[in-house]
Amino acid sequence: MRPKIIKDVLISERAIQKKTQELGRKISKDYRGKELVIVAIMRGAMLFLADLVRHISVPAAIDFMFVTSYKKASKSSGAIRIIKDLKEDIEDKYVLIVEDIVDTGLTFSYLKKYLKAHNPKGIKICTLLDKPSRRLVRVKPNYVGFTIPDEFVVGYGLDYLELYRNLPYIATLTDKAKGRLKGNF
Ligand code: 5GP
């Protein structure tokens, strides 16, 4: 049974599985012969990462970063804070950032600058979802699962007030549930 906060399933479990396979195959082709470090941005990317890497056939180190943004306090300031940093050395390696969603683009743009300072050979981003209509900075993800409209979504790693990350699909919220988000997003 679907939780009460859900309005519609926007992207089904099946569609996500098909897409992760497609993306994994493409990434495997593009990174053949390159030293790859996958950097997953937590907590949102956890389910996507786990499914995606199963379809990546080239050797890859997997690392995690935990970040938070202060979007709530001030929409445009976009201050990002690193809670947990990289463990792997990325110098002279190819970094692929794995994100749940690129929304304003502030997180991606911050991370790109931050990781660049560690002198990798290249930095690209693979995001499950892209919400280009909400950009505050000009960034373009290299691999995109699904482009979605300006709508708050939950499930498959994305939370609603820290809950529902475990839903196997991506869904939209009822108006009532959206109302409870005000001031939190
Ligand atoms: P950005 O810095 O690109 O604005 O935002 C990135 C982060 O904001 C994402 O990693 C995600 O945690 C959060 N976010 C953006 N849009 C949504 C959404 O529709 N639903 C949820 N649950 N989180 C979102």
Side-chain angles (χ1 to χ4, degrees):
M1 221 182 55
R2 274 185 211 156
K4 270 207 283 219
I5 56 141
I6 301 299
K7 186 172 157 213
D8 293 306
V9 172
L10 188 65
I11 306 167
S12 69
E13 190 174 355
R14 202 186 153 111
I16 294 172
Q17 294 310 322
K18 194 164 163 253
K19 189 60 79 175
T20 51
Q21 185 175 43
E22 220 177 277
L23 288 170
R25 284 191 180 150
K26 181 148 186 10
I27 290 165
S28 305
K29 215 167 124 217
D30 295 351
Y31 284 91
R32 197 160 294 150
K34 293 180 174 160
E35 212 171 338
L36 173 62
V37 181
I38 293 172
V39 176
I41 310 305
M42 292 301 182
R43 286 168 274 175
M46 60 177 190
L47 296 195
F48 180 42
L49 172 81
D51 285 335
L52 180 69
V53 294
R54 276 179 256 218
H55 297 292
I56 294 181
S57 55
V58 292
I62 302 174
D63 205 347
F64 302 91
M65 284 181 79
F66 282 70
V67 301
T68 54
S69 72
Y70 290 119
K71 223 174 340 195
K72 298 160 198 167
S74 160
K75 269 199 167 179
S76 54
S77 79
I80 313 286
R81 192 156 67 98
I82 295 175
I83 309 285
K84 188 218 162 272
D85 206 342
L86 284 182
K87 216 169 161 201
E88 290 294 313
D89 179 9
I90 59 168
E91 187 163 347
D92 287 333
K93 296 178 184 160
Y94 289 87
V95 171
L96 181 66
I97 301 172
V98 173
E99 264 273 30
D100 52 355
I101 185 165
V102 177
D103 183 34
T104 62
L106 290 167
T107 307
F108 174 37
S109 122
Y110 173 87
L111 285 173
K112 200 168 173 183
K113 259 186 232 141
Y114 179 81
L115 294 172
K116 226 177 179 169
H118 291 74
N119 301 315
K121 269 201 181 127
I123 303 177
K124 286 189 177 176
I125 182 167
C126 174
T127 184
L128 177 70
L129 304 175
D130 188 15
K131 244 194 239 177
S133 56
R134 295 238 319 159
R135 284 295 194 283
L136 293 175
V137 284
R138 264 181 66 173
V139 289
K140 204 166 178 296
N142 307 87
Y143 302 92
V144 174
F146 303 92
T147 300
I148 62 166
D150 182 4
E151 180 86 37
F152 190 88
V153 291
V154 289
Y156 199 68
L158 292 115
D159 74 303
Y160 168 71
L161 303 175
E162 286 311 326
L163 301 174
Y164 304 106
R165 290 188 197 271
N166 53 317
L167 294 176
Y169 47 80
I170 306 271
T172 55
L173 296 175
T174 60
D175 288 341
K176 194 173 169 201
K178 267 193 253 182
R180 287 195 57 209
L181 270 183
K182 289 213 167 76
N184 279 294
F185 190 73

